[in-house]
Amino acid sequence: MTEQEITLRPVDEDSLEACASLKCREEQIEFTNSPIWSLLQTAYTSIAGKCRIYAVWHQDEVVGMVRLDFTLHDGYYMFTNLLIHRDHQRKHYGENAVARVLEEFRRDGRYDRVKLHVAPGNAGAIALYEKVGFRCLGKTADGNFLEYEIEI
């Protein structure tokens, strides 16, 4: 598979229902937010306008979604809630989606770093982020997550 097969598109009428219906694997439930919560949070909370939520498309099918935080933090970008539907995992879609995320941030051009937080027990996510070049900075201030960073 080539990276060009994955695209990020803002969630809209064509992708909203598919995004709301995304499901993770049973062993991932404790590590992820509901896609419906992510959609509502992006539209109706204090972060609205500071981030964007994207559908992850493979050709003509929504296979996941991700939230990109452009101005929620000073000095760096952050992305959260990357979810690839359970039927589409282990096909390199997550890795390719992260590559598209980094391209979006580079295009924006405000910052030169991207951070993310991941639960220490989420081995799949940790392996993905380390594979694409994120490095662990240690635990977050509250001790609940590991903080990762990459320069773009």
Side-chain angles (χ1 to χ4, degrees), residues 11-125:
V11 172
D12 61 13
E13 288 183 41
D14 294 330
S15 58
L16 180 63
E17 190 172 328
C19 286
S21 300
L22 293 169
K23 303 277 189 236
C24 61
R25 293 174 185 251
E26 187 70 29
E27 65 271 15
Q28 298 167 324
I29 290 173
E30 69 181 288
F31 303 122
T32 188
N33 291 326
S34 152
I36 294 172
W37 167 247
S38 296
L39 291 162
L40 290 170
Q41 184 184 37
T42 303
Y44 296 109
T45 68
S46 63
I47 66 172
K50 297 178 181 179
C51 60
R52 299 177 206 147
I53 197 153
Y54 288 85
V56 177
W57 289 80
H58 174 253
Q59 298 173 351
D60 62 350
E61 181 180 12
V62 173
V63 298
M65 77 178 204
V66 64
R67 188 182 90 201
L68 308 185
D69 299 337
F70 286 86
T71 59
L72 198 55
H73 308 279
D74 290 328
Y76 61 91
Y77 300 107
M78 184 170 236
F79 72 93
T80 58
N81 304 335
L82 173 61
L83 174 62
I84 302 297
H85 190 278
R86 62 184 172 211
D87 295 341
H88 297 289
Q89 292 183 14
R90 298 192 169 101
K91 298 178 182 179
H92 302 283
Y93 294 161
E95 185 178 340
N96 292 331
V98 171
R100 300 290 81 73
V101 165
L102 297 177
E103 287 174 6
E104 286 294 316
F105 288 142
R106 280 185 199 103
R107 257 193 297 280
D108 184 69
R110 277 180 264 195
Y111 309 121
D112 62 359
R113 295 178 301 142
V114 178
K115 291 186 178 186
L116 58 86
H117 296 161
V118 61
N122 194 346

Side-chain angles (χ1 to χ4, degrees), residues 130-142:
E130 289 178 352
K131 182 177 182 178
V132 298
F134 280 84
R135 63 183 174 84
C136 186
L137 301 177
K139 289 192 172 186
T140 56
D142 64 10

